[in-house]
Amino acid sequence: LTYNGSAQKPTPVFADSVEIGQLPEGALVYEVTAKEGSTLTDENAVNAGAYTVTVSIAPDFAEQYELAGDNLSTDFTIEKLEVVLKWEAVGDLVYNGKEHTATATVNNKQGDDVKVIVGLVNGNNNVNVGEFFYEATGLSGADAGNYSLPAEKRHSFTVTPAQVELTWNFEENAA
């Protein structure tokens, strides 16, 4: 399972017995517990982390159904969602003698509070004409723990020469 902003859990598959689709609505009760370092949201596994789910028969169905076997619980993990970075230069990338900067945003966030921390890669020149690189160095925000940076965290930008357009003055004594 991968983080998607919603409650998640594995569902049981019944072998050689009643199919899960044949059980009446509400016959199964799921109890999710968070393992150390993980938290529940309204008794559900929503955030990236490690959990255990235990299934039982609801009291109203205990006379009609019985769970057999020892496999009534399982551990599961909700993995962090790898972000898709959307890079943008701040302003145009034409030489102006000043530093050029860039930003990155999370293109696949699930309505969460998550922002990208970026920085100029050491040794790069983001003033003069040529290529420079920015790199995503981390994530911030209340929901940043549900996301991970991709393996490719750098993005290149190119500063282009400023165009100089000449006009001619044909007046006498023009300097």
Side-chain angles (χ1 to χ4, degrees), residues 36-51:
E36 188 174 337
S38 300
T39 58
L40 295 177
T41 303
D42 298 325
E43 299 182 15
N44 292 300
V46 175
N47 296 315
Y51 303 92

Side-chain angles (χ1 to χ4, degrees), residues 17-166:
S17 64
V18 174
E19 294 293 323
I20 194 164
Q22 296 173 333
L23 286 174
E25 182 78 25
L28 293 179
V29 176
Y30 298 92
E31 181 185 0
V32 178
T33 55
K35 293 193 167 209
E36 188 174 337
S38 300
T39 58
L40 295 177
T41 303
D42 298 325
E43 299 182 15
N44 292 300
V46 175
N47 296 315
Y51 303 92
T52 300
V53 62
T54 303
V55 65
S56 62
I57 297 293
D60 291 348
F61 297 91
E63 288 186 24
Q64 295 91 357
Y65 300 99
E66 180 179 277
L67 290 174
D70 298 331
N71 198 10
L72 303 180
S73 66
T74 189
D75 295 335
F76 68 100
T77 301
I78 297 177
E79 301 293 338
K80 293 180 178 189
L81 177 62
E82 184 176 286
V83 299
V84 174
L85 298 173
K86 179 182 178 189
W87 290 95
E88 290 186 49
V90 177
D92 62 26
L93 292 174
V94 177
Y95 175 78
N96 62 8
K98 299 178 183 173
E99 288 187 344
H100 293 85
T101 60
T103 62
T105 55
V106 176
N107 209 30
N108 61 333
K109 68 181 176 178
Q110 306 296 306
D112 292 329
D113 175 19
V114 60
K115 295 171 186 65
V116 183
I117 302 166
V118 300
L120 182 66
V121 175
N122 286 338
N124 275 252
N125 180 328
N126 60 338
V127 175
N128 294 322
V129 171
E131 186 177 45
F132 67 96
F133 293 88
Y134 261 78
E135 181 174 50
T137 58
L139 299 169
S140 66
D143 301 306
N146 291 315
Y147 296 88
S148 64
L149 288 172
E152 184 52 51
K153 298 179 272 199
R154 290 185 177 185
H155 190 77
S156 67
F157 295 91
T158 302
V159 176
T160 59
Q163 299 296 308
V164 178
E165 194 171 312
L166 297 177

